[in-house]
Amino acid sequence: MLVVENLSVSYKAIKALVNLSCRVEKGEIVALIGANGAGKTTTLNTISGIFPAAAGSVVFEDEDITRVPPHEIVKRGICQVPEGRRVFAKMSVLENLEMGAYIRSDRKGIAEEMDRIFHLFPRLAERRKQLAKTLSGGEQQMLAMGRALMSQPRLLLLDEPSMGLAPMLVEKIFEIIQEINKAGTTIMLVEQNAHMALSIAHRAYVLETGEVVLQGPAKELAENPEVRKAYLGE
């Protein structure tokens, strides 16, 4: 579904990604793990068209999208849930979700999708008229995910969904990620909590200073002594 080949990204003199290659098959959850500054978020932002690639290519469903602008990438079927949630604070839950459907014009389909989001996140249904800024961190994360799903992405990019959340909420968010995947959405997940990421992913890539240093089935990586020592605190 997604093939990233020899991707390089620089911020002025700093090389953020160096010849990074990875792939995502349809129906998978693929995790990117690594320390802060490893290039995980940069990878997602480059796939989304937010950061320009200095070299390499991003191919989605056999189409080269390396130079396609972000709003067009959303139309192609890729949507990103950004790190830090970034909901529209002064808009209601309902308005935030409607913003997620800005590329769509099928009113009936939008209404059906909204119902699906409220079924997936009952807490949002209860707070549909509240301003986003009044929600808890966990509720804002649910809203950011719901907003992205309103565009009906075939590939959902999730950047640090557990950041700043209480352990109980982290488990709930990861359960919902699995539900979204089982319902047919392919997922690429960037996550600081390597243990949780590897527990739900099918495959994973370990990044260090902008390069892939390890890759393979998530269960195998979770048993890898280097990974356990560096990222699982064992």
Side-chain angles (χ1 to χ4, degrees):
M1 185 182 231
L2 181 79
V3 180
V4 176
E5 278 192 353
N6 300 322
L7 199 62
S8 293
V9 176
S10 297
Y11 304 122
K12 296 183 179 174
I14 301 164
K15 289 183 177 177
L17 296 180
V18 184
N19 294 328
L20 183 139
S21 295
C22 62
R23 63 183 172 82
V24 180
E25 304 286 350
K26 188 176 180 183
E28 280 189 314
I29 298 176
V30 172
L32 299 182
I33 64 171
N36 277 334
K40 305 183 302 294
T41 293
T42 300
T43 302
L44 294 194
N45 284 339
T46 309
I47 293 167
S48 293
I50 297 165
F51 292 164
S57 63
V58 179
V59 176
F60 178 63
E61 295 180 335
D62 298 324
E63 182 188 1
D64 190 326
I65 59 167
T66 317
R67 305 278 178 265
V68 174
H71 65 283
E72 289 294 335
I73 286 176
V74 175
K75 288 180 185 176
R76 300 288 203 285
I78 299 177
C79 198
Q80 183 170 340
V81 180
E83 182 182 352
R85 305 179 265 279
R86 299 192 193 174
V87 294
F88 300 109
K90 294 181 181 178
M91 293 168 71
S92 70
V93 166
L94 200 59
E95 288 166 338
N96 268 272
L97 293 174
E98 285 168 349
M99 286 295 286
Y102 81 97
I103 61 165
R104 300 175 61 183
S105 54
D106 56 324
R107 286 190 181 183
K108 186 170 180 282
I110 291 169
E112 286 170 359
E113 195 66 35
M114 191 82 75
D115 287 344
R116 189 171 85 90
I117 301 299
F118 286 145
H119 180 73
L120 201 57
F121 303 105
R123 200 89 58 90
L124 296 183
E126 293 163 17
R127 289 156 171 69
R128 67 181 75 194
K129 292 183 180 175
Q130 275 184 229
L131 295 184
K133 67 180 179 183
T134 67
L135 301 180
S136 70
E139 289 162 354
Q140 287 189 12
Q141 184 61 49
M142 292 174 189
L143 180 56
M145 288 165 68
R147 181 180 62 188
L149 289 171
M150 286 298 294
S151 70
Q152 286 190 311
R154 293 187 296 288
L155 176 61
L156 184 66
L157 308 178
L158 285 171
D159 196 355
E160 303 285 6
S162 78
M163 186 184 277
L165 302 185
M168 221 168 83
L169 263 177
V170 170
E171 285 194 17
K172 181 66 183 164
I173 290 291
F174 274 80
E175 279 171 22
I176 292 167
I177 291 169
Q178 286 179 290
E179 274 185 58
I180 292 166
N181 178 245
K182 282 172 186 167
T185 305
T186 304
I187 292 170
M188 193 171 199
L189 169 69
V190 158
E191 180 54 61
Q192 200 69 39
N193 187 334
H195 181 75
M196 286 299 289
L198 293 175
S199 75
I200 69 162
H202 300 99
R203 289 186 307 106
Y205 294 86
V206 179
L207 272 59
E208 278 180 21
T209 57
E211 299 181 60
V212 173
V213 292
L214 281 170
Q215 60 176 291
K219 283 181 183 173
E220 281 182 23
L221 287 179
E223 296 301 319
N224 182 302
E226 289 175 52
V227 174
R228 292 173 81 95
K229 188 179 174 186
Y231 306 109
L232 305 180
E234 295 177 15

